[in-house]
Amino acid sequence: DTEVTQTPKHLVMGMTNKKSLKCEQHMGHRAMYWYKQKAKKPPELMFVYSYEKLSINESVPSRFSPECPNSSLLNLHLHALQPEDSALYLCASSQVSGNSNQPQHFGDGTRLSIL
Amino acid sequence: GESVGLHLPTLSVQEGDNSIINCAYSNSASDYFIWYKQESGKGPQFIIDIRSNMDKRQGQRVTVLLNKTVKHLSLQIAATQPGDSAVYFCAENAGNMLTFGGGTRLMVKP
């Protein structure tokens, strides 16, 4: 079982809905990440939070809005999504590495379908 | 091998044989490399990592080799088992940003 927990596992929503994806870790990691993964493709980085502050936004459309309420939680708020946003959304966490890199640990993702 | 496209490259091996999965990376500034295993319906699972000051690292049944001269990474799995069937991704890290390679599907024949 993964130590990064994502909910819900599956989500179907219409293009006008507002929903949120949630991610939780209790490993004491202070870096958290959102990735998007399409079928048969590698994960692509969306956002990086370090010490609860957004440090990287990989030119993600504003219909995706991340939030890091505390060091254990990471949310991704969704609004007015498009059918091409259907994908697996993965959350990951890691120690903040400084000069010593640390592996990222992934949850099992939320499978999102936009109708 | 590694390819970004509609179809994942596939490596098919007999159970008990050794597997070698290759990956080419692009960023000379990358200083840390990770291999992940992704099973159907799951997130990527950490297998083994290697820092750029090393050229080989061994784990349990797995070995990672790094050739910085040609920017090449490989994962060797000894005595491959049916449970090893999955998609394997290499990932390069530069400045806390992880970039994944295209992935290779490993199929283990009983």
Side-chain angles (χ1 to χ4, degrees):
Chain A
D1 285 340
T2 178
E3 295 179 86
V4 176
T5 304
Q6 291 187 244
T7 55
K9 291 191 184 306
H10 302 275
L11 180 61
V12 180
M13 57 187 286
M15 288 188 283
T16 57
N17 291 157
K18 283 185 183 181
K19 296 284 185 185
S20 297
L21 309 185
K22 297 187 182 301
C23 175
E24 187 169 2
Q25 58 87 15
H26 294 288
M27 294 180 281
H29 292 168
R30 301 303 295 275
M32 295 186 76
Y33 312 80
W34 280 114
Y35 288 82
K36 174 182 178 181
Q37 186 177 25
K38 301 284 276 185
K40 293 185 170 57
K41 297 283 190 173
E44 294 178 341
L45 183 66
M46 299 174 73
F47 302 105
V48 180
Y49 273 82
S50 180
Y51 294 106
E52 295 86 69
K53 289 191 181 353
L54 184 65
S55 60
I56 296 174
N57 176 341
E58 287 289 280
S59 303
V60 180
S62 59
R63 57 187 185 268
F64 295 92
S65 175
E67 178 198 18
C68 191
N70 60 52
S71 59
S72 300
L73 294 175
L74 185 67
N75 299 322
L76 186 63
H77 303 298
L78 314 173
H79 175 53
L81 294 196
Q82 303 298 309
E84 61 265 27
D85 297 323
S86 298
L88 181 68
Y89 287 84
L90 293 161
C91 174
S93 71
S94 73
Q95 295 179 16
V96 177
S97 62
N99 291 328
S100 174
N101 289 294
Q102 300 292 328
Q104 294 181 23
H105 297 270
F106 285 81
D108 285 335
T110 293
R111 176 78 56 191
L112 178 65
S113 298
I114 307 300
L115 300 179
Chain B
E2 176 194 338
S3 169
V4 177
L6 294 178
H7 303 286
L8 285 170
T10 297
L11 175 65
S12 186
V13 300
Q14 203 70 40
E15 181 179 357
D17 287 352
N18 296 336
S19 304
I20 299 176
I21 301 172
N22 296 303
C23 176
Y25 65 93
S26 56
N27 188 351
S28 300
S30 294
D31 56 1
Y32 178 56
F33 304 88
I34 309 172
W35 279 100
Y36 285 95
K37 171 187 181 184
Q38 189 173 22
E39 296 174 276
S40 181
K42 301 269 192 181
Q45 177 189 356
F46 171 85
I47 301 173
I48 192 168
D49 57 2
I50 188 167
R51 291 181 169 78
S52 58
N53 60 353
M54 304 171 69
D55 53 21
K56 180 179 180 178
R57 188 159 190 233
Q58 287 184 289
Q60 187 178 13
R61 281 202 309 120
V62 294
T63 300
V64 55
L65 299 177
L66 174 62
N67 185 331
K68 292 181 289 295
T69 303
V70 295
K71 296 207 282 285
H72 183 268
L73 198 64
S74 70
L75 176 70
Q76 300 177 1
I77 304 174
T80 313
Q81 302 168 1
D84 296 325
S85 294
V87 176
Y88 289 80
F89 292 101
C90 66
E92 55 183 305
N93 191 82
N96 225 29
M97 284 190 58
L98 205 58
T99 303
F100 283 79
T104 297
R105 182 179 301 280
L106 177 65
M107 297 177 61
V108 182
K109 296 177 287 187

